[in-house]
Amino acid sequence: MSVWTIVVAAGSGERFGGPKQLMALGGRRVLDYALAAAAETSDGVVVVVPADADWDLGGAVRSVAGGATRSESVRCGLAAVPDECDVVVVHDAARPLADAALFRSVIDAVRAGADAAVPGRAIADTVKRVEGDVVVGTEPRESLVTVQTPQAFRASVLRAAHGAEPEGTDDAAVVEAIGGRVVVVGGPRDNLKITEPEDLARAEALIRERELRA
Ligand code: CTP
Ligand code: MG
């Protein structure tokens, strides 16, 4: 089965205050971690970049311009994935702590028959529903997970799910919307998404820890 990974890196980093994909982290750029894990586990990599980007991505990847939303950027990437590809992985450039082992675990779940596989984590906090600042209910935490990327998909299912150009905060949501079977694999605690400036310092500490352990 051939596997391609789409690394989405076309966001503007509004909450961070600039292009977080290019920030220095452990001697590389944030984006380089996603590229390395993708290259290690995939037959090909498509990187989706801002329309005006002139980034050095190394020779082995395809790069395409993204769109106004994350879902649009994924579709731009999907258009550059070869037709004969069987499994497509979608990963946020803003998650530098996702390693090759995590990529393999979502890919393997799709190889084993799921339409899609996502890394998920149980929630430790109690979850309340609110209206403004008033609590109107408590959610059953045991049936909730928070999910991350990389997310893997049977290629035909992901293409079908994106066919009507839906919007979602992740790709599993658009697959769920067409009735696809999405399974959850264990998501690492440290697979943080760099969203705000403080997250970069946390990522730096986690990468240093990982290097000390290696
Ligand atoms: N992304 C993208 N195209 C967009 C929006 C987001 O490729 N139009 C990518 C980002 O580059 C990032 C991933 O999707 O790697 C997750 O998005 P997010 O963390 O929200 O990044 P930004 O959209 O850049 O940040 P913000 O929402 O704060 O502007
Ligand atoms: Mg965003």
Side-chain angles (χ1 to χ4, degrees):
M1 277 197 188
S2 93
V3 180
W4 277 65
T5 294
I6 299 169
V7 175
V8 282
S12 54
E14 238 166 78
R15 287 166 290 179
F16 188 85
K20 57 195 182 183
Q21 310 88 311
L22 301 179
M23 295 301 292
L25 174 66
R28 296 195 273 169
R29 300 168 301 182
V30 166
L31 163 77
D32 293 322
Y33 292 86
L35 296 182
E40 195 178 332
T41 52
S42 314
D43 299 295
V45 179
V46 175
V47 190
V48 187
V49 302
D52 55 358
D54 181 20
W55 300 348
D56 177 11
L57 298 170
V61 303
R62 292 186 183 180
S63 97
V64 298
T69 65
R70 185 184 181 284
S71 294
E72 271 183 39
S73 290
V74 170
R75 287 190 281 279
C76 294
L78 205 45
V81 170
D83 288 343
E84 63 275 16
C85 165
D86 302 296
V87 178
V88 176
V89 179
V90 182
H91 183 49
D92 292 333
R95 289 192 191 266
L97 278 299
D99 62 9
L102 183 60
F103 274 66
R104 288 192 190 100
S105 77
V106 289
I107 292 167
D108 287 347
V110 172
R111 282 189 208 274
D115 290 325
V118 302
R121 289 189 59 77
I123 298 173
D125 295 330
T126 295
V127 181
K128 304 280 188 199
R129 182 177 297 281
V130 292
E131 279 169 16
D133 59 1
V134 177
V135 172
V136 295
T138 300
E139 297 295 322
R141 182 178 68 190
E142 55 287 356
S143 63
L144 296 174
V145 292
T146 58
V147 308
Q148 312 168 342
T149 72
Q151 300 188 346
F153 303 88
R154 189 168 300 284
S156 56
V157 172
L158 186 63
R159 289 190 201 276
H162 273 290
E165 307 196 348
E167 283 300 317
T169 52
D170 74 353
D171 296 283
V174 304
V175 166
E176 291 151 39
I178 65 160
R181 183 169 160 269
V182 181
V183 303
V184 179
V185 305
R189 186 194 185 90
D190 68 1
N191 183 17
L192 84 166
K193 182 162 75 71
I194 296 179
T195 304
E196 293 179 9
E198 309 80 84
D199 300 325
L200 189 61
R202 271 187 68 211
E204 187 83 50
L206 288 165
I207 282 180
R208 198 161 309 145
E209 247 175 60
R210 197 174 275 188
E211 277 163 6
L212 288 176
R213 274 204 309 268

